[in-house]
Amino acid sequence: MLLIPCPYCGDRPEIEFRGGGEAHIARPSDPQTIDDQAWAEFLFYRTNPKGLMAERWNHAHGCQRWFNALRDTVSDRILESYKMGEKPIGGGRA
Amino acid sequence: MRRFSLKSLISEAFNAHQGWERQWRTPEPKAAYDAVIVGGGGHGLATAYYLAKEHGITNIAVIEKGWLGGGNTGRNTTIIRSNYLYEESEAIYEHAMKLWAGLSQELNYNVMYSQRGVLMLAHNSHDVQSFKRHVYANRLAGIDNEWLTPDEAKEFCPPLNISPDLRYPIVGAALQRRGGVARHDAVAWGFARGADAMGVDILQNCEVTGFRRDAGGAIEGVETSKGYIATRRVGVVAAGHTSVVMARAGLRMPLESFPLQALVSEPVKPVFPCVVMSNAVHAYISQSDKGELVIGAGTDQYISYSQQGGLHVPIHTLDAICELFPQFSRMRMLRSWGGIVDVTPDRSPIIGKTPIPGLYVNCGWGTGGFKATPGSGNVFAWTIAKGEPHPINAPFTLDRFRTGRLIDEAAAAAVAH
Amino acid sequence: MAGRNRLPKGGRVDRSKPVSIVFNGRTLAGFAGDTVASLLIAHDIHFVGRSFKYHRPRGFLSHGSDEPNALLSVDRGPGKIDPNNRATVAEARDGLVTHSQNHWPSLEFDIGAINDVLSPVFVAGFYYKTFMWPRRFWDSVYEPKIRAAAGLGRAPDAPDADRYANRHAHCDVLVVGAGPAGLAAALAGSETGKRVFLADEQAEMGGTLLHDLTSAIDGKPAQAWVAEALAELRSRGNVTLLPRSTAFGYYNHNHIALAERLTDHLDNAPAHLPRERLWQVRAGEVVLATGAHERPLVFADNDRPGILLAESVRVFVNRYAVAPGRKVVFVTNGASAYAAALDAAAAGIDVTLVDVRPEGDCGPELAALRAKGATVLTGHTVLAAAGTRRVTGLAVAPLSPAGKIGTRKTLAADCVGMSGGWTPSVHLFSQSRGKLRFDPALDAFVPDQAVQAQRSAGAANGRYDLGEILSEGFAAGSAAAGGDASRAFTATPTPTGFSPVRVLPTDADPARVKAFIDFQNDVTAKDIHLAVREGFESVEHVKRYTTTGMATDQGKSSNMNALGLVAGILEKPLPAVGTTTFRPPYTPVTFGTLIGPSRGPLFDPARKTPVHGWAEEQGARFEDVGLWKRAWYFPRGDEDLHEAVARECAAVRQHVGIFDATTLGKIEIVGPDAAEFMNRIYVNGWLKLEPGRCRYGLMLKEDGYILDDGVVARLAVDRFHVTTTTGGAPRVLAHMEDYLQTEWPELNVFLTSTTEQFAVIAVQGPKARELIAPLVTGIDLANDAFPHMAVRTGFICGVPTRLFRVSFTGELGFEINVPADYGRAVWEAIFARGGAFGLTPYGTETMHVLRAERGFVIIGQETDGTVTPDDLGLGGMIARAKPDFVGKRSLARPDLEAPGRKQLVGILTDDPTLVLDEGAQIVADRDQPIPIHALGHVTSSYWSPACDRSIALALVEGGRERIGSEIFVTTPSSFTKATVTAPAFFDAAGERVHA
């Protein structure tokens, strides 16, 4: 079970969280103007990376906040977490 | 290829088994092939087998990063059934089911396909409605699937707890009698042996690192850890690693890869006659020929290539198993493991062309791909051989995510595969 | 009688506490502190089981949790029988009843032993090559026979009567293994006040020191040092000692699972104690001091009862004071077995030692043993063991440096102690994804790079010298606690000389003898040869083809021998063949331990409304809806579902009914941008909805399909009271929070789940207003003052209420929201007034019928995640002028606009008495050949009391254009003819709600 660093609450066990998949997929500002393929790519296409991944988490059974985390999908190590709207510092926790 | 039979087995017994041949070669890669299959799991090997057998294309390489059958083929809980809801799904899983029925003989390799029945438990009125919808839909498709009362379910599966005092009492069940299990490794090995015998080169411990395309953008070869291989047709069948392989061709996919865990108990004498699945309480169980209870459930919730998940997931599964079968509480978990399952937005596979000419993909089988192995390989071979999809896999395009013509078994039934 | 092999003195058993156990009907005496294995050995019993495939007689191989052979069924009474207990782990306690397994009719005379005779046929993977003809025989003939022969013990057939517990814990340092390295680590780690857990799988802590009679540490005998160390640890308040606790799984982020055995060893276990406990420990740092396992040597018939690992002979002699034999031959390729031989000789046992190494390669241990008068044959190999149910001797022969086998001779023996070297126990390290490194000198894989916050120490790290082990353990413990302390220990040097050999050289045809690699699964060296011959070159392939390493010891005794053999055959360096991945659990763990208390009512919490108790008292039947228990119907007398529902329906249509709608999800949406937020989430428009009014809202997922629905009340300009479906509440809140926090953080809106805050009492029927009027204050209930789809706040029975005038029945109706704590009181107050009005409580089934008569949909019943608003005929609700809302863009995708989509319609069967099955399929023509294309399916189907006939709702391709046409619907045995209608059967104009 992962130990997830909620930026608001600190380290908490994974069962308190709901995973939200890949982060930083911006919803098109005017969806009606883009074509079907571009919309499908927003809806469904994902990088699904093997390695470093920015992903969304919701502290569903805690503070209810959404935030992002950088995790290595091979080792499952979480390097850092950061609030919505922030950028990762790219460093990592000790 | 030396045929397997009781006669050959006994004659070898007198020969201390010195006369058996290699089941497949360990060849060096050729400079060029007519087709290259990326991924040496059950689906990939089946694709190569049927390409050679039914389409006469034998100059094929199957390129496998690790050892053949070492991915999800060797890690799944081997459930086989075809009682899906939508006509598209029914067609492909039933196509597979028919091939399963004769597969041991076809491959001359006992894959131990055991039609012991798959029983799916209903726990609430939503389940009842959903399962009856399946039963009726399957009848129209000529697929066996019957509705059982709790007593009938208990008669079919005596260990079942049908007490009304359960937290989620069993209110009925759907049974596909032709459903069952098979020996997963044997499926990979049988297809490998059969393909190898027709000339297919199985290149293990060889990784595809890139794709070369001609001026028109079409595939002209693959870069591998053992050097460049020229080919005009590539079929990617890389399961959980499909996104990784396709990224090397510059394509993003509508896929996410999740850990899927399973476990077995210590072996005991026969105690469990069939396969039982319960979606409402999240568990499925059968007993292997070796005597182990084979148990699985849903995926972990995050993308991972680690083949490892959290302990809370199998614990939750076992909660459900012991609720349904309280006598198994003293059974012991012997081994647990994880696979990497590639999941599409509608939980149905993608089998067909890609935007790159000459590049084909067969992926997205999620948690339920094993049961489709022969059918999937069969129609994918057709697709690669003819450059167009077989009618059975025609609906399973990548383009359906653009048009919205999804085949959403999960949404329709909330049934795990 | 304590058994003829009980040594007269020594050991750690408590001779003042006799116990007796039963084995296959024989009552046998021993002492507290015995394992079942040591107690049986005391009575010279070695033959305790049959192997998996060949049903060969088997005895003890080891003394611990790596035991592959000696698995017994333990019977503690009804519901307390469990199979496959390791006799070497199970503690003997008074009255324990045990049975051997996998034989029929008895251990001594087992029909299955025929398999040993037929073993030339039953080689690795033989079943892949046969049993294929005739085709149908696999399921019906071959497989049942194979299954009956396979398996070990019998599964319990009664529900488990025992209790289990779970505990979650945090510590700074978790030390796994309480041998010398672990004790030193715990001492160092706890010096600075950090919280330290020390766990060990055995009953007693001390590890190998518990059977070390000759070593000294800092001038003290090893066992005295252990006692002092444990006393010191116990005295420290920051140390938790966990004996009988096996760390079995090392998961992500230093999450370690341990199984603790609490009562199995007690003669009279108190009833309140759980049998086993699962610990889930989140450790800051972990020290793995898990020791090493000794390897068997591979020679013909090395599986005979009485052939043990050399160190195990030493353990039985020193720790349990039993002699595994009176004439013991040790066979070894290294120095460690000499210590065992010396101790056995010291206990008065006749000892001979056969060393594969040439004389010159042996260390000082050789002279030491010879000095005790023991015969030592160096440069010898073992050709075969003699005996069937008990080893009677060993055929040995000199081995020339060139590998030539000399003249054989037989050494008589009633016990053999073999040592093929040691394998560090890297299971947990590997589970934690640490990288292993092959050490050729040790001929083993050792920990290399750790991935998680952990370190290995002692034998688990490839250290075999006692002094080094202690120092390394101490340093590891200190480092784990954030320190850098080191300490030198003065300890007796440990002879560690070793030269790797696995399969002992022989002059017999290796293809004809059975030299076992995996004892339990009956995998022999020739099976491995066969697998490689057939092209299985990866060790994972060999493992799966031969089943080596897949027995209940998970390869602890077999993996390195199998790997080495494969590498040897392929003439590759061992690491090139690979090592298999170690997966949890380290040793098998009962399901009971894992699930702990989550059985029965604790399997999943049941949510109950404030009115639940009242409904129970009224005899309601309940149904599960998500986690909720909802009143399904209220039978009177011996009414069945249909009779009760017909009565309840009639009461609502003619008089008034009362219904518990508490389970509907409720979300409070508040803030200056609340209406804008609603506009973006729902398909409807909200800006113009006036405070005090309600609207039926529909929301989509981003893919354009319906997510949920519900009535929304605007309480104020900046405040909405949203309702959702019962099952959808958490999903909808999560969906809203997601968009609010991640897409539209600029909106000033707050979302609060209020599902549990309100009890909701639906009062529905023509007399609803009359019924509640006297109870309501502060609200004008008059029709024009309080019209349909309005909301008011006021009081009912003096309790604050949000009173909705809404209807899901098609009748005049109110939904009374009151604080949950007052729910039952208000309900009962209304009910008390109801007699005069014919008030009838009704359940979910009646609610379903009433709404279906009116054609109201239920999300999740009419919809299944692939349905759009237009499919339901609700396209008109979409505020198309809005620039965007969730799902809008997806509705414009080609397939969502394509003709022929399935649309909601009504279905009336030609036979009005026939109630269709929900889920029944609809076809245009019943006489088509299979496969028949389905036009759609029945989503809802009931007997309608108001229509006095059956009714159904369905989703049908191009359904609205088919209204009036005939279709066929499946029935359990055939088809029935029906007509497509509009999806409303009663009061289609919807006038009654305005009454």
Side-chain angles (χ1 to χ4, degrees):
Chain A
M1 193 193 299
L2 305 180
L3 188 65
I4 298 175
C6 171
Y8 303 93
C9 306
D11 290 347
R12 292 290 187 278
E14 181 198 331
I15 48 171
E16 294 184 10
F17 296 84
R18 189 180 296 119
E22 188 172 331
H24 309 306
I25 298 174
R27 190 171 186 271
S29 55
D30 188 358
Q32 319 313 320
T33 61
I34 61 175
D35 68 18
D36 289 331
Q37 184 60 32
W39 183 246
E41 285 174 18
F42 160 71
L43 279 181
F44 299 132
Y45 284 63
R46 297 293 179 262
T47 308
N48 198 22
K50 185 175 185 178
L52 204 59
M53 173 176 186
E55 65 186 353
R56 301 166 355 115
W57 287 97
N58 177 223
H59 195 183
H61 302 287
C63 66
Q64 286 274 355
R65 302 300 295 265
W66 280 92
F67 61 93
N68 294 321
L70 272 187
R71 184 173 54 87
D72 183 326
T73 62
V74 179
S75 69
D76 288 331
R77 187 162 165 251
I78 296 176
L79 283 78
E80 60 176 299
S81 64
Y82 49 101
K83 297 174 182 175
M84 285 292 160
E86 293 180 349
K87 296 230 177 310
I89 54 172
R93 306 186 310 141
Chain B
M1 182 177 88
R2 178 159 181 206
R3 279 187 66 76
F4 291 158
S5 66
L6 183 60
K7 185 161 158 279
S8 64
L9 185 65
I10 289 172
S11 87
E12 277 302 320
F14 287 102
N15 185 32
H17 299 275
Q18 299 296 307
W20 294 114
E21 302 167 350
R22 294 180 65 96
Q23 298 194 5
W24 51 81
R25 297 161 293 128
T26 303
E28 287 303 311
K30 295 189 224 166
Y33 290 95
D34 293 339
V36 163
I37 305 300
V38 183
H43 290 242
L45 292 164
T47 304
Y49 176 85
Y50 289 114
L51 268 171
K53 178 85 190 292
E54 297 191 349
H55 304 282
I57 302 173
T58 57
N59 184 28
I60 304 172
V62 176
I63 301 182
E64 168 54 48
K65 175 167 66 91
W67 36 282
L68 68 88
N72 294 343
T73 301
R75 292 165 187 274
N76 75 91
T77 50
T78 82
I79 296 169
I80 295 169
R81 62 184 182 87
S82 65
N83 52 351
Y84 280 70
L85 180 63
Y86 289 117
E87 288 164 6
E88 297 89 341
S89 313
E90 289 175 328
I92 193 159
Y93 290 106
E94 182 63 15
H95 183 54
M97 185 85 116
K98 295 216 162 75
L99 291 170
W100 276 115
L103 198 60
S104 293
Q105 292 73 25
E106 165 76 23
L107 298 177
N108 180 233
Y109 209 104
N110 190 351
V111 301
M112 305 185 190
Y113 174 42
S114 167
Q115 293 184 309
R116 59 181 72 166
V118 175
L119 191 67
M120 299 167 79
L121 304 178
H123 297 270
N124 53 50
S125 52
H126 181 265
D127 282 351
V128 174
Q129 183 195 11
S130 169
F131 287 9
K132 286 192 174 175
R133 188 176 166 195
H134 280 71
V135 166
Y136 283 122
N138 293 155
R139 197 175 92 200
L140 296 184
I143 293 170
D144 77 301
N145 192 12
E146 54 196 284
W147 176 253
L148 303 186
T149 64
D151 286 332
E152 289 167 338
K154 171 94 180 161
E155 193 182 337
F156 188 75
C157 180
L160 200 59
N161 182 2
I162 55 168
S163 158
D165 300 331
L166 282 184
R167 174 65 184 85
Y168 297 111
I170 293 165
V171 296
L175 169 64
Q176 184 172 33
R177 292 184 191 272
R178 288 185 305 145
V181 292
R183 171 85 186 117
H184 52 15
D185 291 327
V187 176
W189 300 339
F191 275 121
R193 173 167 166 266
D196 177 273
M198 290 184 284
V200 173
D201 283 353
I202 300 168
L203 309 174
Q204 301 185 76
N205 298 305
C206 180
E207 182 171 3
V208 170
T209 54
F211 294 82
R212 270 195 214 169
R213 295 161 69 178
D214 65 18
I219 292 288
E220 61 178 16
V222 292
E223 307 281 359
T224 80
S225 56
K226 293 186 176 176
Y228 176 71
I229 294 172
T231 185
R232 303 296 297 188
R233 283 184 280 200
V234 176
V236 175
V237 202
H241 280 81
T242 302
S243 293
V244 177
V245 174
M246 297 301 272
R248 290 173 187 160
L251 290 181
R252 258 161 77 93
M253 295 292 290
L255 291 172
E256 292 182 299
S257 296
F258 296 104
L260 177 66
Q261 301 186 62
L263 64 98
V264 295
S265 73
E266 292 182 334
V268 287
K269 293 293 177 191
V271 65
F272 206 78
C274 60
V275 180
V276 167
M277 307 176 68
S278 169
N279 194 61
V281 300
H282 294 298
Y284 41 87
I285 178 171
S286 65
Q287 187 177 19
S288 73
D289 286 338
K290 198 180 167 195
E292 299 159 330
L293 297 177
V294 182
I295 292 169
T299 65
D300 282 69
Q301 59 170 334
Y302 50 84
I303 287 170
S304 179
Y305 290 83
S306 63
Q307 295 188 328
Q308 184 179 321
L311 177 62
H312 59 293
V313 175
I315 284 181
H316 186 62
T317 305
L318 289 172
D319 287 348
I321 291 296
C322 291
E323 179 74 357
L324 297 171
F325 308 102
Q327 65 274 37
F328 290 159
S329 163
R330 287 305 298 174
M331 295 294 294
R332 295 186 185 87
M333 175 169 83
L334 171 61
R335 189 165 65 244
S336 66
W337 65 91
I340 311 168
V341 298
D342 46 323
V343 177
T344 62
D346 64 359
R347 305 292 192 276
S348 286
I350 300 163
I351 317 165
K353 298 185 192 180
T354 70
I356 298 175
L359 182 62
Y360 301 84
V361 70
N362 183 349
C363 65
W365 289 95
T367 60
F370 177 74
K371 67 177 72 68
T373 304
S376 158
N378 189 269
V379 298
F380 194 47
W382 167 294
T383 306
I384 293 172
K386 302 194 184 280
E388 62 186 59
H390 185 283
I392 286 177
N393 65 308
F396 294 92
T397 61
L398 198 49
D399 195 47
R400 73 179 188 270
F401 299 102
R402 179 186 67 82
T403 64
R405 193 168 188 77
L406 305 185
I407 305 162
D408 201 337
E409 289 284 335
V415 167
H417 289 243
Chain C
M1 174 65 195
R4 61 186 164 98
N5 280 347
R6 180 70 67 181
L7 296 169
K9 61 182 172 58
R12 300 184 69 83
V13 291
D14 185 348
R15 292 174 196 254
S16 70
K17 288 188 187 155
V19 298
S20 68
I21 68 166
V22 179
F23 171 69
N24 283 355
R26 280 176 70 189
T27 301
L28 301 164
F31 297 119
D34 266 324
T35 60
V36 170
S38 67
L39 194 151
L40 293 175
I41 287 173
H43 294 270
D44 204 35
I45 296 171
H46 277 271
F47 176 20
V48 294
R50 293 274 179 175
S51 64
F52 194 86
K53 186 155 101 176
Y54 300 143
H55 289 244
R56 284 168 65 103
R58 287 289 164 78
F60 312 99
L61 178 67
S62 79
H63 63 278
S65 64
D66 51 344
E67 175 60 40
N69 287 335
L71 305 182
L72 304 179
S73 172
V74 170
D75 182 349
R76 306 194 315 155
K80 297 193 174 189
I81 302 175
D82 59 329
N84 301 352
N85 289 273
R86 293 157 174 73
T88 51
V89 172
E91 294 174 55
R93 60 159 185 81
D94 213 31
L96 191 71
V97 177
T98 65
H99 299 278
S100 54
Q101 305 182 146
N102 201 30
H103 47 67
W104 187 86
S106 72
L107 176 64
E108 289 74 18
F109 302 99
D110 175 18
I111 296 292
I114 189 78
N115 289 359
D116 198 27
V117 179
L118 296 175
S119 63
V121 176
F122 295 163
V123 290
F126 75 98
Y127 30 74
Y128 299 126
K129 293 176 174 144
T130 184
F131 302 133
M132 288 181 269
W133 304 272
R135 188 190 280 198
R136 286 300 305 172
F137 270 37
W138 172 252
D139 312 53
S140 56
V141 179
Y142 302 129
E143 187 182 45
K145 293 229 181 319
I146 289 176
R147 294 187 84 190
L152 289 166
R154 295 190 182 284
D157 55 8
D160 187 354
D162 279 304
R163 229 163 57 67
Y164 299 84
N166 273 0
R167 189 169 290 176
H168 294 261
H170 295 259
C171 65
D172 298 309
V173 180
L174 168 66
V175 180
V176 181
L183 287 170
L187 285 168
S190 58
E191 265 175 4
T192 56
K194 293 283 176 85
R195 281 191 72 199
V196 174
F197 284 10
L198 175 62
D200 193 278
E201 65 174 339
Q202 296 200 45
E204 239 190 314
M205 293 191 163
T208 54
L209 299 179
L210 296 176
H211 64 264
D212 189 338
L213 302 182
T214 45
S215 295
I217 300 169
D218 292 343
K220 286 168 233 157
Q223 298 190 27
W225 184 86
V226 170
E228 279 183 25
L230 286 170
E232 175 62 30
L233 290 170
R234 274 190 205 101
S235 74
R236 294 181 183 172
N238 55 330
V239 177
T240 302
L241 298 180
L242 295 169
R244 296 189 178 88
S245 298
T246 305
F248 67 83
Y250 198 135
Y251 297 89
N252 273 316
H253 303 174
N254 266 8
H255 183 229
I256 291 96
L258 301 96
E260 182 184 14
R261 305 183 305 279
L262 291 164
T263 59
D264 274 4
H265 61 288
L266 301 177
D267 289 342
N268 292 298
H272 70 278
L273 279 185
R275 184 168 181 182
E276 290 159 6
R277 175 184 288 136
L278 176 69
W279 287 77
Q280 298 193 60
V281 176
R282 190 73 76 165
E285 296 272 343
V286 175
V287 178
L288 295 174
T290 45
H293 289 114
E294 195 170 25
R295 292 177 210 163
L297 285 165
V298 182
F299 55 87
D301 299 321
N302 58 344
D303 64 324
R304 295 307 186 191
I307 303 181
L308 289 77
L309 294 168
E311 189 78 357
S312 297
V313 173
R314 189 179 178 209
V315 170
F316 285 118
V317 169
N318 289 351
R319 183 167 167 187
Y320 298 105
V322 294
R326 292 295 173 179
K327 196 169 179 57
V328 180
V329 177
F330 289 91
V331 188
T332 186
N333 57 357
S336 70
Y338 285 76
L342 281 166
D343 288 351
I349 294 167
D350 183 316
V351 166
T352 304
L353 189 141
V354 179
D355 196 328
V356 185
R357 297 177 298 172
E359 184 108 5
D361 288 0
C362 300
E365 66 273 6
L366 176 58
L369 183 57
R370 282 192 173 140
K372 297 287 176 191
T375 305
V376 181
L377 303 173
T378 56
H380 273 63
T381 185
V382 176
L383 303 174
T388 303
R389 294 180 179 188
R390 177 74 179 263
V391 64
T392 57
L394 276 188
V396 302
L399 181 66
S400 79
K404 198 170 162 346
I405 311 279
T407 311
R408 72 163 61 196
K409 65 175 173 184
T410 298
L411 305 173
D414 61 357
C415 173
V416 171
M418 59 181 166
S419 176
W422 292 84
T423 306
S425 179
V426 295
H427 304 75
L428 292 174
F429 175 82
S430 175
Q431 285 180 27
S432 79
R433 306 184 203 187
K435 297 272 180 296
L436 296 169
R437 171 177 62 82
F438 185 73
D439 183 327
L442 295 176
D443 188 42
F445 288 96
V446 293
D448 191 11
Q449 281 176 306
V451 170
Q452 303 201 37
Q454 50 112 306
R455 60 211 75 223
S456 296
N461 201 31
R463 298 264 176 271
Y464 298 144
D465 177 75
L466 181 56
E468 285 180 26
I469 288 170
L470 289 160
S471 301
E472 187 172 78
F474 192 87
S478 176
D484 61 355
S486 65
R487 189 170 139 194
F489 290 82
T490 314
T492 311
T494 312
T496 56
F498 168 63
S499 72
V501 59
R502 294 178 188 82
V503 183
L504 293 181
T506 177
D507 54 3
D509 179 354
R512 306 268 175 193
V513 301
K514 288 203 196 79
F516 286 87
I517 302 274
D518 185 312
F519 288 73
Q520 185 183 109
N521 275 355
D522 283 332
V523 181
T524 63
K526 65 181 175 167
D527 288 319
I528 307 277
H529 277 276
L530 172 63
V532 175
R533 186 178 310 127
E534 292 195 85
F536 295 86
E537 296 180 346
S538 148
V539 71
E540 282 291 346
H541 278 161
V542 172
K543 182 175 158 181
R544 286 158 179 266
Y545 191 63
T546 64
T547 73
T548 188
M550 301 187 82
T552 59
D553 71 321
Q554 285 289 286
K556 290 186 185 69
S557 57
S558 58
N559 270 350
M560 282 309 293
N561 282 340
L563 260 176
L565 185 52
V566 173
I569 298 167
L570 293 172
E571 298 181 339
K572 284 184 180 173
L574 195 142
V577 178
T579 180
T580 56
T581 319
F582 293 97
R583 301 193 180 98
Y586 172 70
T587 51
V589 183
T590 60
F591 294 176
T593 303
L594 291 166
I595 70 175
S598 47
R599 299 162 73 178
L602 297 181
F603 167 61
D604 227 2
R607 295 179 81 179
K608 294 176 181 173
T609 75
V611 184
H612 185 91
W614 183 91
E616 261 181 339
E617 289 160 20
Q618 299 288 317
R621 301 291 171 83
F622 293 87
E623 68 167 339
D624 289 301
V625 182
L627 291 176
W628 289 102
K629 294 281 182 192
R630 298 198 75 182
W632 188 16
Y633 61 102
F634 290 82
R636 281 190 192 158
D638 50 6
E639 280 180 342
D640 66 12
L641 169 72
H642 302 288
E643 291 160 344
V645 167
R647 175 181 49 74
E648 292 171 13
C649 285
V652 175
R653 291 272 181 244
Q654 291 158 26
H655 309 288
V656 59
I658 186 167
F659 174 73
D660 183 3
T662 302
T663 64
L664 286 183
K666 293 171 276 292
I667 300 168
E668 194 94 337
I669 297 183
V670 186
D673 297 321
E676 174 61 23
F677 177 75
M678 294 290 293
N679 243 17
R680 297 186 191 184
I681 286 286
Y682 283 85
V683 306
N684 323 59
W686 298 93
L687 301 178
K688 291 179 186 160
L689 183 70
E690 289 170 17
R693 299 295 300 197
C694 301
R695 177 167 289 166
Y696 172 68
L698 203 53
M699 72 180 79
L700 310 181
K701 295 174 289 176
E702 196 70 277
D703 64 7
Y705 298 122
I706 294 171
L707 171 65
D708 209 87
D709 71 348
V711 168
V712 178
R714 191 168 197 175
L715 297 170
V717 172
D718 62 351
R719 181 177 295 262
F720 290 85
H721 175 129
V722 162
T723 67
T724 74
T725 58
T726 295
R731 191 163 58 229
V732 170
L733 182 64
H735 173 81
M736 288 179 169
E737 283 284 2
D738 190 351
Y739 276 90
L740 180 59
Q741 292 181 36
T742 69
E743 299 295 346
W744 312 316
E746 74 281 3
L747 293 185
N748 189 354
V749 177
F750 295 89
L751 310 177
T752 308
S753 167
T754 54
T755 303
E756 302 271 353
Q757 271 57 52
F758 292 103
V760 184
I761 303 163
V763 178
Q764 303 273 312
K767 296 178 186 164
R769 186 185 293 113
E770 258 182 285
L771 170 64
I772 65 166
L775 303 177
V776 176
T777 50
I779 301 173
D780 182 353
L781 294 181
N783 206 9
D784 46 356
F786 188 19
H788 182 56
M789 293 303 270
V791 62
R792 298 288 183 267
T793 56
F795 295 86
I796 184 164
C797 308
V799 174
T801 183
R802 289 178 179 176
L803 186 61
F804 287 62
R805 183 166 168 200
V806 292
S807 171
F808 197 47
T809 58
E811 298 300 326
L812 164 68
F814 299 90
E815 288 187 0
I816 303 160
N817 287 255
V818 291
D821 288 349
Y822 294 99
R824 180 160 177 176
V826 173
W827 175 286
E828 290 193 31
I830 297 169
F831 194 73
R833 250 184 71 73
F837 301 90
L839 179 65
T840 302
Y842 65 96
T844 51
E845 188 67 17
T846 291
M847 177 266 284
H848 282 183
V849 175
L850 295 171
R851 62 88 206 178
E853 288 174 339
R854 278 287 291 113
F856 297 149
V857 300
I858 291 181
I859 302 304
Q861 182 154 352
E862 269 65 45
T863 71
D864 61 7
T866 64
V867 176
T868 67
D870 185 64
D871 295 345
L872 293 184
L874 299 175
M877 288 174 54
I878 299 173
R880 295 183 192 275
K882 289 197 291 188
D884 192 16
F885 57 83
V886 175
K888 181 177 185 188
R889 174 64 186 83
S890 286
L891 291 176
R893 291 185 293 160
D895 195 60
L896 281 77
E897 293 187 322
R901 286 191 63 84
K902 290 177 184 168
Q903 296 171 330
L904 186 75
V905 291
I907 299 285
L908 292 176
T909 47
D910 282 11
D911 173 1
T913 65
L914 180 69
V915 179
L916 295 167
D917 270 347
E918 290 175 350
Q921 298 285 308
I922 294 163
V923 302
D925 174 6
R926 58 177 293 172
D927 295 321
Q928 305 167 76
I930 280 174
I932 304 175
H933 174 63
L935 298 174
H937 75 283
V938 173
T939 59
S940 294
S941 174
Y942 310 96
W943 174 260
S944 164
C947 305
D948 195 28
R949 61 154 297 146
S950 66
I951 59 170
L953 297 171
L955 284 167
V956 176
E957 277 178 16
R960 291 195 282 270
E961 289 185 5
R962 289 181 196 268
I963 288 175
S965 62
E966 280 183 352
I967 43 91
F968 293 88
V969 188
T970 57
T971 61
S973 57
S974 176
F975 292 90
T976 192
K977 197 149 67 105
T979 304
V980 180
T981 70
F985 307 95
F986 176 77
D987 185 28
E991 287 162 356
R992 294 172 68 90
V993 295
H994 298 292

